[in-house]
Amino acid sequence: MTEEMLAHPWFGTWLAAVIAVPLALLVHRLGGLVLMRITRPAPALHSMVINCKPVARVVLPLLALLLVFQAAPSDLRFIGSVRHFNGLLLIAATTWLAVKAISGFADGVLAQHPYDVEDNLHARRVLTQTRVLARTAMSMVLVAGGAMMLMTFPGARQVGASLLASAGVIGIVAGLAAKPVFSNLIAGLQIALAQPIRIDDVLVVEGEWGRVEEITGTFVVVKIWDDRRLILPLSYFIEKPFQNWTRSSSQLLGAVFVYADYGMPLQPLRAEVERIVKSAPEWDGRFFNLQVTDATERTMQIRVLCTAGNSSLAFDLRCKVREGLIDFMQREYPQFLPRMRIESDGKPGRQDTQDMQRQPVPSPR
């Protein structure tokens, strides 16, 4: 039995494979320890090494087997199929390793820039760039890995050659069909570099107010104030106008409009606005004022401006100021609230004369 095994054509190849796989795992173990120690001062690289360790445990043995099978005699039975199958596994594992490396590096970069802080403008910029570029890079790696696996099949190469030979009409059709994909890919790169929007930006888009919740490789998810989600393609933010309330800063200037009668004195209102704003925790201490900005034949328009640190605080502050002014006017100056009235100067007018004529004449007693 032993002599038959020693005489088998595959004995030397399998013996080399049995030796090569444990050696590859040993290299993985030692190399992982060394890389973990070397990359500890660099959080991004350290995170990438941690993310790649499980996949590298598969890639290194497959690479060792590839070297063994390539060194084996070419006249071995099924050696071609074994080499092809091992090559496919190695391409798939290497693609997986590249994706994990990109993901780990991105996680390391994001860990250095937490965005759950008060002043998170720079962190959100880094978050958006990292996520969009990482997803784009991972998509390209997956496409390249799939293409390399297909090119290992002779039939796929022949199909590719025939497609290239008739690429006239097919190329036009494929280009038209792939236009949305490529436009979103290019838009994603533009968004990552120019950053018209970022994660957690406050937008007014399609008439809706919301925050950017997620940016994928093809679309943007905007979380609207009432917890609905607005899904828009990436190309939308390159081709169409929209409002970004946190483009350079999250601080906002809010406006409150109140209407009052012309008899309403303004100085008490200014004092009340000052009291309300300075007692409100939402006010950031930058600015506030009260002005009459318009006048109609019945009322005057009073505008109050006040600042807050972000859009949510600005909305709450505006509501607080509006409620406080209305309550103050109802309590102190109810006679100057907007109302429809008809006044007479003491002489009976046309309407008064008609009303007097309609009154019955008292009968004599």
Side-chain angles (χ1 to χ4, degrees), residues 195-217:
Q195 291 200 335
I197 59 172
R198 293 177 295 266
I199 299 293
D200 207 38
D201 265 351
V202 177
L203 306 181
V204 177
V205 55
E206 295 291 320
E208 299 283 0
W209 182 98
R211 291 182 179 272
V212 177
E213 183 178 50
E214 185 180 4
I215 301 177
T216 70

Side-chain angles (χ1 to χ4, degrees), residues 85-149:
F85 182 69
N86 186 83
L88 289 175
L89 291 178
L90 182 59
I91 293 173
T94 305
T95 303
W96 184 21
L97 179 65
V99 170
K100 296 293 284 184
I102 296 171
S103 176
F105 186 82
D107 292 341
V109 172
L110 296 179
Q112 299 178 69
H113 300 85
Y115 67 96
D116 54 347
V117 294
E118 184 66 26
D119 186 9
N120 61 356
L121 181 62
H122 177 68
R124 290 190 291 111
R125 182 183 297 115
V126 174
L127 174 65
T128 302
Q129 286 182 332
T130 304
R131 283 191 177 177
V132 174
L133 292 177
R135 286 172 179 171
T136 302
M138 286 189 285
S139 300
M140 296 175 66
V141 167
L142 290 173
V143 171
M148 291 177 65
M149 293 179 69

Side-chain angles (χ1 to χ4, degrees), residues 21 58 62 139 154 166 168 170 178 201 215 227 233 238 240 242-243 254 284 298 303 310 314 320 332 339-340 348 362:
V21 170
V58 178
L62 288 174
S139 300
S166 58
I170 296 178
D201 265 351
I215 301 177
D227 285 342
I238 303 299
K240 295 185 179 181
F242 59 93
Q243 295 183 37
D284 61 2
R298 297 191 182 96
R303 186 188 69 182
N310 57 56
K320 217 172 247 190
E332 302 293 336
R339 64 178 63 189
M340 292 288 294

Side-chain angles (χ1 to χ4, degrees), residues 56 104 185 219 274:
L185 179 62
F219 57 84
E274 182 176 2

